[in-house]
Short mmCIF file of all heavy atoms in Angstrom, two decimals:
data_model
loop_
_atom_site.label_atom_id
_atom_site.label_comp_id
_atom_site.label_asym_id
_atom_site.label_seq_id
_atom_site.Cartn_x
_atom_site.Cartn_y
_atom_site.Cartn_z
N ASP A 30 1.47 34.49 -24.47
CA ASP A 30 0.55 35.63 -24.44
C ASP A 30 1.33 36.94 -24.40
O ASP A 30 0.99 37.92 -25.09
CB ASP A 30 -0.37 35.53 -23.22
CG ASP A 30 -1.39 34.40 -23.38
OD1 ASP A 30 -1.62 33.99 -24.53
OD2 ASP A 30 -1.93 33.95 -22.35
N GLN A 34 1.49 39.85 -27.36
CA GLN A 34 1.03 41.20 -27.06
C GLN A 34 2.06 42.26 -27.46
O GLN A 34 1.77 43.45 -27.41
CB GLN A 34 0.71 41.32 -25.56
CG GLN A 34 -0.55 40.54 -25.16
CD GLN A 34 -0.77 40.54 -23.66
OE1 GLN A 34 -0.03 41.22 -22.93
NE2 GLN A 34 -1.76 39.78 -23.20
N ALA A 41 6.44 41.62 -37.15
CA ALA A 41 7.42 40.76 -37.81
C ALA A 41 6.77 39.48 -38.31
O ALA A 41 7.04 39.02 -39.42
CB ALA A 41 8.56 40.44 -36.85
N TYR A 100 25.49 53.39 -94.99
CA TYR A 100 26.16 54.41 -94.18
C TYR A 100 27.60 54.67 -94.64
O TYR A 100 28.12 55.77 -94.49
CB TYR A 100 26.23 53.96 -92.71
CG TYR A 100 24.92 54.00 -91.96
CD1 TYR A 100 24.49 52.89 -91.24
CD2 TYR A 100 24.13 55.14 -91.94
CE1 TYR A 100 23.30 52.91 -90.53
CE2 TYR A 100 22.93 55.17 -91.24
CZ TYR A 100 22.53 54.05 -90.54
OH TYR A 100 21.36 54.08 -89.84
N LEU A 103 28.98 57.79 -96.38
CA LEU A 103 28.95 58.97 -95.52
C LEU A 103 30.12 58.94 -94.54
O LEU A 103 30.75 59.96 -94.27
CB LEU A 103 27.63 59.04 -94.76
CG LEU A 103 26.36 59.08 -95.62
CD1 LEU A 103 25.11 59.08 -94.74
CD2 LEU A 103 26.37 60.30 -96.52
N LYS A 133 25.55 84.98 -83.84
CA LYS A 133 25.68 86.08 -84.80
C LYS A 133 26.09 87.37 -84.08
O LYS A 133 26.96 88.12 -84.53
CB LYS A 133 24.37 86.28 -85.55
CG LYS A 133 24.44 87.34 -86.65
CD LYS A 133 23.11 87.42 -87.40
CE LYS A 133 23.22 88.43 -88.54
NZ LYS A 133 23.54 89.78 -88.06
N PHE A 161 40.87 64.34 -83.73
CA PHE A 161 39.43 64.08 -83.68
C PHE A 161 39.11 62.87 -82.81
O PHE A 161 38.37 62.97 -81.83
CB PHE A 161 38.89 63.87 -85.10
CG PHE A 161 37.41 63.59 -85.15
CD1 PHE A 161 36.50 64.63 -85.15
CD2 PHE A 161 36.94 62.28 -85.21
CE1 PHE A 161 35.13 64.38 -85.20
CE2 PHE A 161 35.57 62.02 -85.26
CZ PHE A 161 34.67 63.07 -85.26
N VAL A 219 46.34 49.00 -89.54
CA VAL A 219 45.01 48.70 -89.01
C VAL A 219 45.15 47.72 -87.85
O VAL A 219 45.84 46.70 -87.97
CB VAL A 219 44.08 48.08 -90.09
CG1 VAL A 219 42.69 47.82 -89.50
CG2 VAL A 219 43.98 48.98 -91.31
N ASP A 234 18.89 27.21 -69.73
CA ASP A 234 18.06 28.29 -69.20
C ASP A 234 17.50 29.12 -70.36
O ASP A 234 17.89 30.26 -70.59
CB ASP A 234 18.89 29.17 -68.26
CG ASP A 234 18.06 30.25 -67.58
OD1 ASP A 234 16.82 30.12 -67.58
OD2 ASP A 234 18.64 31.22 -67.06
N GLU A 239 17.49 37.23 -74.05
CA GLU A 239 17.01 38.59 -74.25
C GLU A 239 17.60 39.20 -75.52
O GLU A 239 17.66 40.42 -75.66
CB GLU A 239 17.36 39.46 -73.05
CG GLU A 239 16.64 39.06 -71.78
CD GLU A 239 16.95 39.96 -70.61
OE1 GLU A 239 17.89 40.79 -70.74
OE2 GLU A 239 16.27 39.86 -69.58
N ILE A 295 41.26 38.76 -72.78
CA ILE A 295 41.21 37.46 -72.10
C ILE A 295 40.46 36.49 -72.99
O ILE A 295 39.43 36.81 -73.57
CB ILE A 295 40.51 37.59 -70.74
CG1 ILE A 295 41.33 38.47 -69.80
CG2 ILE A 295 40.26 36.23 -70.11
CD1 ILE A 295 40.64 38.77 -68.49
N LYS A 296 41.00 35.28 -73.10
CA LYS A 296 40.38 34.29 -73.96
C LYS A 296 39.36 33.47 -73.17
O LYS A 296 39.67 32.98 -72.08
CB LYS A 296 41.46 33.35 -74.53
CG LYS A 296 40.98 32.46 -75.66
CD LYS A 296 40.64 33.27 -76.89
CE LYS A 296 40.16 32.38 -78.03
NZ LYS A 296 39.62 33.16 -79.15
N LEU A 332 29.24 63.88 -82.52
CA LEU A 332 28.54 64.33 -81.32
C LEU A 332 29.31 63.99 -80.05
O LEU A 332 29.15 64.66 -79.03
CB LEU A 332 27.13 63.72 -81.27
CG LEU A 332 26.24 64.06 -82.48
CD1 LEU A 332 24.87 63.43 -82.34
CD2 LEU A 332 26.12 65.58 -82.64
N GLU A 353 14.34 57.74 -59.24
CA GLU A 353 14.59 56.76 -58.20
C GLU A 353 14.59 57.42 -56.83
O GLU A 353 14.06 56.89 -55.86
CB GLU A 353 15.94 56.08 -58.45
CG GLU A 353 16.24 54.97 -57.46
CD GLU A 353 17.52 54.24 -57.80
OE1 GLU A 353 17.98 54.37 -58.95
OE2 GLU A 353 18.05 53.56 -56.91
N GLU A 354 15.18 58.62 -56.75
CA GLU A 354 15.21 59.33 -55.47
C GLU A 354 13.80 59.70 -55.04
O GLU A 354 13.45 59.65 -53.87
CB GLU A 354 16.07 60.59 -55.59
CG GLU A 354 17.57 60.28 -55.71
CD GLU A 354 18.36 61.52 -56.06
OE1 GLU A 354 17.77 62.61 -56.02
OE2 GLU A 354 19.55 61.39 -56.36
N GLN A 384 44.56 37.83 -86.64
CA GLN A 384 43.62 37.36 -85.64
C GLN A 384 44.30 36.31 -84.80
O GLN A 384 44.89 35.37 -85.33
CB GLN A 384 42.37 36.76 -86.30
CG GLN A 384 41.53 37.78 -87.04
CD GLN A 384 40.94 38.79 -86.10
OE1 GLN A 384 40.66 38.50 -84.96
NE2 GLN A 384 40.74 40.02 -86.57
#
Side-chain angles (χ1 to χ4, degrees):
D30 289 340
Q34 289 174 6
Y100 287 129
L103 302 177
K133 184 177 183 300
F161 180 84
V219 182
D234 185 17
E239 294 183 349
I295 295 174
K296 192 67 180 171
L332 301 181
E353 184 175 343
E354 289 170 9
Q384 294 295 329

